[in-house]
Amino acid sequence: MYITKQKSDLIQLLTGYKNEGDSIGFVPTMGALHAGHISLIEEAEKKNAKVVASVFVNPTQFNDPKDFEKYPITIEKDIQMLAKAGCDMLFLPSVSEMYPEGLSDLETYDFGFLETVLDGAARPGHFQGVGQVVSRLMEIVQPDDLYLGQKDFQQCLIISELVKQKGYKAQLNYVPTKREPDGLAMSSRNKRLTDKQRATASLIYQCLISIEAQNGQKPFSIVQKECQDIMMDKGLRPDYIMLANAETLELLEDYDASKKMVALLAAYAGDVRLIDNLILKK
Ligand code: AMP
């Protein structure tokens, strides 16, 4: 696996591959890799001749400085996992390589309604930061395919909007959420959980499953309250438990069989914020 910290090196290598007619798949990450990230690499390998991953903990998308400071870094292990998975190139830029102009007065994006709900409302500035880093990475890599995890459902819609606004030619590929045996969505942040928090965190997925199972049985407001009570009883602090139109992210007060629905949940275990979602089966 070719590893570089310099965008000029990566661009040079990629230009060679592109001139040979190789298609490029791109998997951006913040590192502390797990099997969920590797499933994105594997999807890219199925479709693209060459696969690039990036590991960059983007400071501009952390609205909470403590969350940024505590973000796990396991770069040696990440390199081993990517190499083992057959990734061709790893881009490991520094903050100054990504933001040579500094971190103030960065560009802003108009994501409209998408940025006003759920994580957009709970984490002011977060999706602006996502836009800033993803646009820079896309301009460096210029991939044919971009791979994103459905675990970050709102981020998928935000990046789809970014790709549209910027006119990038990459096709978006959404990869299903990889879960632990008890259903907890794999996340780099899971490493920060205590054993007790880790054990109760599986309630997040259980709540999503119960929201799906009770579709057509009870009003959503009742199911929402039940989920909230169960989580709080076990020491999790729900941030939101919502039902939305999966295409637009418009929030729904109740189940609506005429729409493709997604249940979305964010909760704190101690100071670790976890998110998950489930697209409801009809
Ligand atoms: P992150 O390193 O958290 O920025 O994630 C990098 C990419 O991996 C994003 O597209 C995430 O949505 C995706 N991802 C993170 N966790 C999972 C998971 N459990 N299953 C599938 N994809 C994931």
Side-chain angles (χ1 to χ4, degrees), residues 27-31 33-34 36-37 39-40 61 71 147-152 155 175-179 185-188:
V27 180
T29 82
M30 297 206 297
L33 301 184
H34 49 66
H37 296 111
S39 69
L40 273 62
Q61 74 187 68
Y71 203 82
Y147 294 85
L148 301 168
Q150 269 172 30
K151 174 181 169 275
D152 296 283
Q155 176 169 279
V175 181
T177 303
K178 194 102 178 159
R179 300 181 177 282
M186 290 186 180
S187 164
S188 307

